[in-house]
Amino acid sequence: MIEKPLTSEDVEFVTTLHGEEQISFVVLMQPRGDQADVLLRAIDDLAMGELKEAARESEEPEGKNARASAELALEVSLEALRQSGSEAIGQVIETHPLDKLTSVVQESDADEVIVLTAPHYVEEFFHRDWASRARHKVGVPVLKLFAHSE
């Protein structure tokens, strides 16, 4: 599960987690929307010392307006994974992401879930971030990684 396009560092990291073993990915892209409100994201930005980002939180598209950028981010990420030699498919999910994640894990017989995200300190503190919530739902190990920035 990702919330922004994978960087080259992200791709290298996730594709080498298991050494030379051939792996495939089912990528679920969660666009910005109801999963976290603007105030929580602004607090996270402030905690990281990113004052300009905190001020711009209300300018970022959310919900249905974020769909097009989420689809583009997904395609870029899938292509980067394929270029690294991995199999990769994916989809944008807007409603009930944990339910969809659970069904994808079951349907694909996944060995693990990787949640690649920016730090969300407030949500993490209260264990309301995607990785913490997924650990109680999907039935396989959940690895939380922080995304790189390019």
Side-chain angles (χ1 to χ4, degrees), residues 5 29 66-78 92:
M29 174 70 193
R67 175 89 188 182
S69 60
E71 288 173 353
L72 179 59
L74 176 64
E75 285 306 313
V76 166
S77 299
L78 293 175
V92 173

Short mmCIF file of all heavy atoms in Angstrom, two decimals, residues 5 29 66-78 92:
data_model
loop_
_atom_site.label_atom_id
_atom_site.label_comp_id
_atom_site.label_asym_id
_atom_site.label_seq_id
_atom_site.Cartn_x
_atom_site.Cartn_y
_atom_site.Cartn_z
N PRO A 5 3.95 8.25 -5.34
CA PRO A 5 4.72 7.43 -6.27
C PRO A 5 6.01 6.91 -5.62
O PRO A 5 6.62 7.58 -4.80
CB PRO A 5 5.06 8.37 -7.42
CG PRO A 5 4.32 9.62 -7.19
CD PRO A 5 3.80 9.63 -5.81
N MET A 29 -2.83 1.82 -4.28
CA MET A 29 -2.55 3.25 -4.14
C MET A 29 -3.72 3.90 -3.43
O MET A 29 -4.86 3.82 -3.91
CB MET A 29 -2.36 3.88 -5.52
CG MET A 29 -2.20 5.37 -5.53
SD MET A 29 -0.63 5.82 -4.82
CE MET A 29 -0.88 7.57 -4.60
N ALA A 66 -8.36 13.92 -6.19
CA ALA A 66 -7.03 13.32 -6.11
C ALA A 66 -6.91 12.05 -6.95
O ALA A 66 -5.83 11.50 -7.08
CB ALA A 66 -6.69 13.01 -4.65
N ARG A 67 -7.99 11.59 -7.54
CA ARG A 67 -8.00 10.33 -8.28
C ARG A 67 -7.02 10.33 -9.45
O ARG A 67 -6.27 9.38 -9.64
CB ARG A 67 -9.43 10.03 -8.78
CG ARG A 67 -9.55 8.82 -9.66
CD ARG A 67 -9.80 7.61 -8.90
NE ARG A 67 -9.73 6.44 -9.77
CZ ARG A 67 -9.95 5.24 -9.37
NH1 ARG A 67 -10.28 5.02 -8.12
NH2 ARG A 67 -9.85 4.23 -10.18
N ALA A 68 -7.03 11.37 -10.26
CA ALA A 68 -6.16 11.42 -11.45
C ALA A 68 -4.69 11.36 -11.05
O ALA A 68 -3.91 10.62 -11.65
CB ALA A 68 -6.44 12.66 -12.27
N SER A 69 -4.30 12.11 -10.05
CA SER A 69 -2.89 12.09 -9.64
C SER A 69 -2.54 10.75 -9.00
O SER A 69 -1.41 10.26 -9.14
CB SER A 69 -2.57 13.25 -8.69
OG SER A 69 -3.35 13.19 -7.53
N ALA A 70 -3.50 10.11 -8.33
CA ALA A 70 -3.25 8.79 -7.74
C ALA A 70 -3.06 7.75 -8.84
O ALA A 70 -2.18 6.88 -8.73
CB ALA A 70 -4.41 8.39 -6.83
N GLU A 71 -3.85 7.83 -9.90
CA GLU A 71 -3.71 6.88 -11.01
C GLU A 71 -2.35 7.04 -11.69
O GLU A 71 -1.69 6.05 -12.03
CB GLU A 71 -4.85 7.06 -12.02
CG GLU A 71 -6.17 6.56 -11.49
CD GLU A 71 -7.34 6.86 -12.39
OE1 GLU A 71 -7.18 7.59 -13.39
OE2 GLU A 71 -8.44 6.36 -12.08
N LEU A 72 -1.92 8.29 -11.88
CA LEU A 72 -0.61 8.54 -12.47
C LEU A 72 0.51 8.02 -11.56
O LEU A 72 1.45 7.37 -12.02
CB LEU A 72 -0.43 10.03 -12.75
CG LEU A 72 0.91 10.44 -13.35
CD1 LEU A 72 1.14 9.73 -14.69
CD2 LEU A 72 0.98 11.95 -13.51
N ALA A 73 0.39 8.29 -10.27
CA ALA A 73 1.39 7.81 -9.30
C ALA A 73 1.47 6.29 -9.31
O ALA A 73 2.57 5.72 -9.25
CB ALA A 73 1.05 8.31 -7.90
N LEU A 74 0.33 5.64 -9.42
CA LEU A 74 0.31 4.18 -9.47
C LEU A 74 1.01 3.67 -10.73
O LEU A 74 1.84 2.77 -10.65
CB LEU A 74 -1.13 3.66 -9.41
CG LEU A 74 -1.28 2.15 -9.55
CD1 LEU A 74 -0.63 1.42 -8.38
CD2 LEU A 74 -2.77 1.78 -9.66
N GLU A 75 0.69 4.24 -11.89
CA GLU A 75 1.30 3.79 -13.14
C GLU A 75 2.82 3.99 -13.12
O GLU A 75 3.57 3.12 -13.57
CB GLU A 75 0.68 4.52 -14.34
CG GLU A 75 -0.69 4.01 -14.69
CD GLU A 75 -0.72 2.49 -14.91
OE1 GLU A 75 0.15 1.96 -15.63
OE2 GLU A 75 -1.62 1.84 -14.35
N VAL A 76 3.27 5.12 -12.61
CA VAL A 76 4.71 5.39 -12.50
C VAL A 76 5.36 4.35 -11.59
O VAL A 76 6.42 3.80 -11.91
CB VAL A 76 4.96 6.82 -11.97
CG1 VAL A 76 6.40 7.01 -11.53
CG2 VAL A 76 4.57 7.85 -13.02
N SER A 77 4.72 4.04 -10.50
CA SER A 77 5.26 3.07 -9.54
C SER A 77 5.30 1.66 -10.12
O SER A 77 6.29 0.93 -9.97
CB SER A 77 4.43 3.09 -8.25
OG SER A 77 4.48 4.36 -7.65
N LEU A 78 4.23 1.26 -10.80
CA LEU A 78 4.19 -0.08 -11.40
C LEU A 78 5.27 -0.22 -12.47
O LEU A 78 5.95 -1.25 -12.54
CB LEU A 78 2.81 -0.35 -12.00
CG LEU A 78 1.66 -0.49 -11.01
CD1 LEU A 78 0.33 -0.63 -11.75
CD2 LEU A 78 1.87 -1.64 -10.06
N VAL A 92 -5.98 1.76 -7.79
CA VAL A 92 -6.27 2.85 -6.86
C VAL A 92 -7.47 2.42 -6.04
O VAL A 92 -8.46 1.92 -6.58
CB VAL A 92 -6.57 4.16 -7.63
CG1 VAL A 92 -7.03 5.25 -6.68
CG2 VAL A 92 -5.35 4.60 -8.42
#
